[in-house]
């Protein structure tokens, strides 16, 4: 599947996941970590959202086989904008002028990144180096997710978790699919995805969906862009380095602005118990 087509489909799937998981998480009893995930696993709407996240990940995985991380992650992060559009079209949300401007800014950033990207295969990550440089941050964010109470540190932890997923998968995406279970980094990637999912679910219960996802995606975009260019061989078309810098800045600024300018989603009102 061509990388750009896979990236477009991944963004749509992520948007579906954001909307469905938000509604499900906010109507579930508060909790932490994997205990919260266990309760949400019984919610069909959450499972639909989770399926959207999984589908988005699979499509983004294929896109990373040939596209640089700065483009794939920026495109995936724009799912929060697509979710906003979905809300307007399908759920009757009212869009404000500032949200329209932000969506245009994000689109311009993506156009710059797409124009600057040069397809390439990533450098392999040695197993010992991968477990050291990616495994230790994973342990750290797991501890943060268990102890933190505020939305911001949990959302940042989720962003780091998903950055680990993206970095590991960029290295693995060009390998034969049937041989992937034999690569130790695959299991580290799965662990990072589970930790990131648990952090995101906890953050969605404590704050608005858009601000939570915006914080998470901004952390992921910045970390993966830096690592991809500096250490994984992500290429930029000659003379267009500034396109990447401006494009990433516009996407991150747009995601944050959309997240913090959007109105909070009200928590569902519990049904009254019969007297």
């Amino acid at each position: 599947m061509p990388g750009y087509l896979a990236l477009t489909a991944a963004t749509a799937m992520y948007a579906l996941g954001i909307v469905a998981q938000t509604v499900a998480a906010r109507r579930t009893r508060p909790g932490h970590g994997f205990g919260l995930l266990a309760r949400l696993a019984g919610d069909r709407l959450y499972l639909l959202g989770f399926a959207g996240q999984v589908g988005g990940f699979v499509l983004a995985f294929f896109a990373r086989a040939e596209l640089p991380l700065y483009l794939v992650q920026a495109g995936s992060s724009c799912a929060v904008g697509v979710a906003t559009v979905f809300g307007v079209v399908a759920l009757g949300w009212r869009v404000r002028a500032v949200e329209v401007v932000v969506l245009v800014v994000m689109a311009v950033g993506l156009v710059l990144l797409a124009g600057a990207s040069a397809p390439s295969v990533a450098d392999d990550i040695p197993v010992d180096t991968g477990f050291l440089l990616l495994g230790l941050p994973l342990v750290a964010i797991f501890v943060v997710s268990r102890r933190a109470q505020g939305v911001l540190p949990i959302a940042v932890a989720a962003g780091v978790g998903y950055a680990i997923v993206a970095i590991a998968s960029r290295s693995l995406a060009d390998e034969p699919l049937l041989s992937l279970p034999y690569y130790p980094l695959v299991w580290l990637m799965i662990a990072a995805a589970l930790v990131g999912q648990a952090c995101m679910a906890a953050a969605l219960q404590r704050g608005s969906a858009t601000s939570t996802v915006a914080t998470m995606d901004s952390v992921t975009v910045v970390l993966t862009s830096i690592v991809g260019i500096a250490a994984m061989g992500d290429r930029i078309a000659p003379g267009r380095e500034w396109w990447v810098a401006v494009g990433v800045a516009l996407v991150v600024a747009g995601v944050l602005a959309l997240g913090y300018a959007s109105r909070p989603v009200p928590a569902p009102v519990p049904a009254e118990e019969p007297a």
Side-chain angles (χ1 to χ4, degrees):
M1 179 181 295
Y4 290 102
L5 179 59
L7 178 56
T8 301
T11 302
M13 294 293 286
Y14 279 135
L16 170 66
I18 290 170
V19 174
Q21 286 183 314
T22 298
V23 176
R26 292 181 69 83
R27 69 187 186 187
T28 301
R29 181 165 52 88
H32 289 278
F34 297 118
L36 173 59
L37 281 183
R39 287 199 299 275
L40 287 171
D43 190 315
R44 292 181 180 179
L45 184 60
Y46 182 83
L47 293 179
L48 174 64
F50 181 73
Q53 293 284 312
V54 172
F57 168 76
V58 172
L59 291 164
F61 183 86
F62 287 124
R64 293 185 190 106
E66 60 180 87
L67 298 179
L69 280 175
Y70 60 78
L71 176 58
V72 176
Q73 296 312 123
S76 298
S77 73
C78 287
V80 69
V82 177
T84 299
V85 174
F86 174 80
V88 171
V89 174
L91 302 179
W93 295 354
R94 292 185 178 181
V95 64
R96 296 177 294 176
V98 63
E99 293 169 328
V100 174
V101 171
V102 170
L103 290 173
V104 171
V105 168
M106 293 169 67
V108 171
L110 275 181
V111 169
L112 288 174
L113 291 173
S117 65
S120 61
V121 175
D123 297 335
D124 292 333
I125 300 176
V127 174
D128 52 352
T129 302
F131 270 87
L132 178 64
L133 298 182
L134 300 179
L136 290 180
L138 182 60
V139 173
I141 65 173
F142 179 76
V143 173
V144 168
S145 70
R146 299 288 295 177
R147 297 184 178 181
Q149 297 298 321
V151 175
L152 183 61
I154 300 176
V156 170
V160 175
Y162 285 124
I164 294 172
V165 172
I167 292 167
S169 64
R170 170 69 168 140
S171 175
L172 296 165
D174 62 317
E175 303 294 343
L177 289 178
L178 295 180
S179 67
L180 285 178
Y182 301 101
Y183 288 85
L185 283 181
V186 168
W187 302 104
L188 177 64
M189 180 182 69
I190 293 173
L194 290 174
V195 172
Q197 190 74 16
C199 291
M200 186 176 73
L204 285 173
Q205 286 194 322
R206 292 162 173 77
S208 71
T210 47
S211 60
T212 295
V213 176
T215 301
M216 178 185 74
D217 283 348
S218 298
V219 171
T220 302
V221 170
V222 172
L223 287 179
T224 54
S225 297
I226 293 173
V227 172
I229 294 172
M232 301 196 69
D234 283 1
R235 295 171 56 193
I236 303 173
R240 296 186 177 180
E241 290 79 7
W242 69 272
W243 288 33
V244 174
V246 174
V248 169
L250 288 177
V251 169
V252 170
V255 169
L256 288 173
L258 185 63
Y260 291 98
S262 297
R263 291 161 292 226
V265 178
V269 179
E272 294 184 2
E273 296 183 1

